[in-house]
């Protein structure tokens, strides 16, 4: 009998078709947002799950769905998984690294540029019919070229942003990370390791690319924002919760930093109401990896993890390979 899988959100129909060659597929192509009870109902009796970053797999779900053997996330981030609980139950978790690195780095860089050069704010002004004359300082922002780019979280995407900044725009790149990169990688990215405090104090443009974990919660709050230059910009393409959004909205309103660009939010898709009213912020709905080819590659990688797991007992990008044994 073919394994049964559940695809928790709408995905590319061709990927559902690929899965249907190997599995008995139940798919949420209606794209309903499922409550935990509905997710449990759908996963009961299934051996595999195709999940996205919004589908929480925790101990309660696992206990209610004892047939589940693998959850393949269509995202590189996996803070929707309770990984220790999955490992304890012998459920394999996989994610989609690498295939989205360059696309996400492109977006982080674009968001930084849009933020520094006030693109959203000026477009709203134009659309509102307020553009009646030229003025010397109209939407004057800050430069990217030659500026100091700070990166918090120097994994694959952080390194991609560093390369763009150093090699493409002549930026002076500094970074902070849990562990320092080896000398060869630092040289490739032309990036210098600094303390978190120096990063906050010296960056003209600070980009957050660190994974979410409880210890990263509010890594940027009022105290950290107070250390930044008043001319600095902050970009978050990492995860909601890494920035204290209320403190950021206040810092933006009081011009304690110049501007921010945010692709991720605490409690998204809700957005802190104060962020919606401050002008000096560029807001996008968690789309950093959303180019068509990259989203397709992510979906196919998640599908390949399921296919490979059920045919060989291995997976391409496992997060807890220890459950696979030998
Ligand atoms: C990721 O891959 O983690 C992106 O944030 C999309 O969810």
């Amino acid at each position: 009998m073919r394994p049964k899988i559940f695809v928790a959100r709408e995905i590319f129909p061709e990927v559902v078709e690929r899965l249907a060659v190997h599995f008995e597929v139940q798919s949420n192509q209606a794209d309903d947002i499922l409550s935990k009870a509905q997710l449990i109902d759908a996963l009961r009796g299934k051996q595999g799950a195709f999940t996205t970053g919004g589908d929480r797999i925790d101990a309660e779900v696992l206990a209610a769905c004892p047939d589940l053997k693998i959850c393949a996330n269509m995202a590189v981030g996996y803070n929707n998984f309770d990984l220790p609980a999955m490992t304890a139950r012998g459920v394999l978790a996989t994610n989609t690294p690498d295939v989205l690195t360059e696309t996400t780095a492109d977006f982080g860089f674009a968001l930084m540029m849009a933020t520094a050069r006030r693109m959203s704010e000026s477009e709203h002004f134009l659309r509102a019919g307020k553009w009646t004359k030229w003025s010397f300082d109209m939407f004057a922002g800050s430069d990217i070229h030659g500026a100091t780019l700070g990166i918090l979280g120097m994994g694959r995407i952080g390194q991609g942003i560093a390369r763009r900044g150093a090699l493409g725009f002549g930026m002076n790149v500094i970074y902070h990370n849990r562990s320092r990169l080896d000398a060869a990688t630092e040289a490739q990215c032309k990036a210098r390791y600094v303390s978190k405090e120096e990063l906050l104090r010296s960056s003209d443009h600070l980009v957050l690319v660190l994974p979410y974990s409880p210890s990263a919660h509010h890594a940027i709050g009022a105290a950290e924002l107070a250390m930044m230059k008043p001319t600095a910009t902050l970009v978050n393409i990492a995860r909601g919760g890494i920035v204290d959004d209320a403190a950021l909205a206040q810092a933006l309103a009081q011009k304690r930093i110049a501007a921010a660009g945010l692709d991720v939010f605490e409690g998204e898709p809700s957005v802190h109401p104060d962020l919606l009213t401050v002008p000096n912020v560029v807001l996008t709905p968690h789309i950093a990896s959303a180019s068509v080819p990259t989203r397709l590659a992510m979906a196919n990688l998640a599908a390949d993890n399921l296919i490979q797991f059920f045919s060989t007992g291995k997976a391409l990008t496992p997060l807890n390979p220890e459950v696979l044994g030998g």
Side-chain angles (χ1 to χ4, degrees):
M1 234 178 50
R2 295 188 309 166
K4 292 186 179 136
I5 67 159
F6 177 61
V7 181
R9 293 292 307 278
E10 182 183 9
I11 55 163
F12 297 89
E14 60 262 48
V15 179
V16 180
E17 279 163 29
R18 273 192 72 209
L19 289 166
V21 173
H22 304 267
F23 306 116
E24 223 176 276
V25 180
Q26 181 187 334
S27 179
N28 176 15
Q29 286 300 88
D31 213 28
D32 297 323
I33 300 300
L34 305 179
S35 65
K36 180 180 274 196
Q38 289 169 321
L39 182 64
I40 287 174
D41 262 0
L43 285 177
R44 261 208 197 101
K46 306 289 189 305
Q47 287 84 45
F50 183 118
T51 55
T52 64
D55 307 307
R56 176 107 188 109
I57 303 293
D58 60 14
E60 191 185 338
V61 172
L62 295 167
C65 307
D67 296 324
L68 206 53
K69 300 272 173 294
I70 172 172
C71 295
N73 221 25
M74 182 185 150
V76 68
Y78 51 91
N79 54 309
N80 57 311
F81 287 168
D82 181 339
L83 200 58
M86 292 175 79
T87 305
R89 285 203 167 257
V91 175
L92 183 69
T94 67
N95 67 342
T96 59
D98 300 321
V99 291
L100 48 58
T101 300
E102 299 302 328
T103 296
T104 306
D106 280 352
F107 189 88
F109 211 84
L111 190 54
M112 176 179 72
M113 294 194 78
T115 302
R117 297 301 304 273
R118 306 175 64 179
M119 286 188 180
S120 284
E121 202 183 340
S122 58
E123 184 183 351
H124 286 128
F125 171 88
L126 182 153
R127 283 180 189 273
K130 294 180 182 165
W131 185 25
T132 55
K133 60 179 175 25
W134 179 91
S135 44
F136 77 100
D137 63 347
M138 186 165 66
F139 295 106
S142 55
D143 278 323
I144 295 294
H145 69 273
T148 295
L149 166 60
I151 300 176
L152 186 58
M154 198 62 155
R156 290 166 285 231
I157 297 168
Q159 291 171 33
I161 293 172
R163 285 195 307 273
R164 281 161 178 75
L167 308 177
F169 289 78
M171 299 181 85
N172 165 38
V173 181
I174 54 178
Y175 77 97
H176 183 75
N177 197 43
R178 262 176 321 186
S179 46
R180 189 173 168 171
L181 300 179
D182 60 68
T185 313
E186 279 188 354
Q188 252 174 24
C189 301
K190 294 193 185 303
R192 184 167 63 85
Y193 182 81
V194 295
S195 67
K196 183 175 171 189
E197 180 166 345
E198 186 179 342
L199 187 82
L200 291 164
R201 292 196 187 282
S202 305
S203 298
D204 294 315
H205 305 293
L206 176 59
V207 182
L208 310 178
V209 209
L210 65 165
Y212 183 85
S213 65
S215 64
H217 189 74
H218 287 186
I220 303 292
E224 289 75 18
L225 290 163
M227 287 183 208
M228 293 176 66
K229 298 179 185 180
T231 51
T233 72
L234 174 72
V235 163
N236 186 8
I237 57 164
R239 273 293 180 271
I242 288 177
V243 174
D244 177 343
D245 285 350
L248 176 60
Q250 206 172 56
L252 289 168
Q254 296 171 353
K255 303 257 170 63
R256 279 188 274 115
I257 64 167
L262 305 174
D263 186 50
V264 289
F265 304 87
E266 283 189 283
E268 64 185 51
S270 296
V271 175
H272 194 290
D274 295 350
L275 287 173
L276 298 173
T277 56
V278 284
N280 46 343
V281 61
V282 182
L283 305 169
T284 53
H286 202 150
I287 56 167
S289 65
S291 74
V292 176
T294 290
R295 282 286 165 88
L296 186 57
M298 292 164 69
N300 273 318
L301 178 52
D304 286 338
N305 273 314
L306 288 163
I307 293 165
Q308 183 160 120
F309 174 74
F310 285 108
S311 57
T312 69
K314 300 256 182 286
L316 295 167
T317 50
L319 291 164
N320 53 352
E322 60 272 31
V323 306
L324 295 172

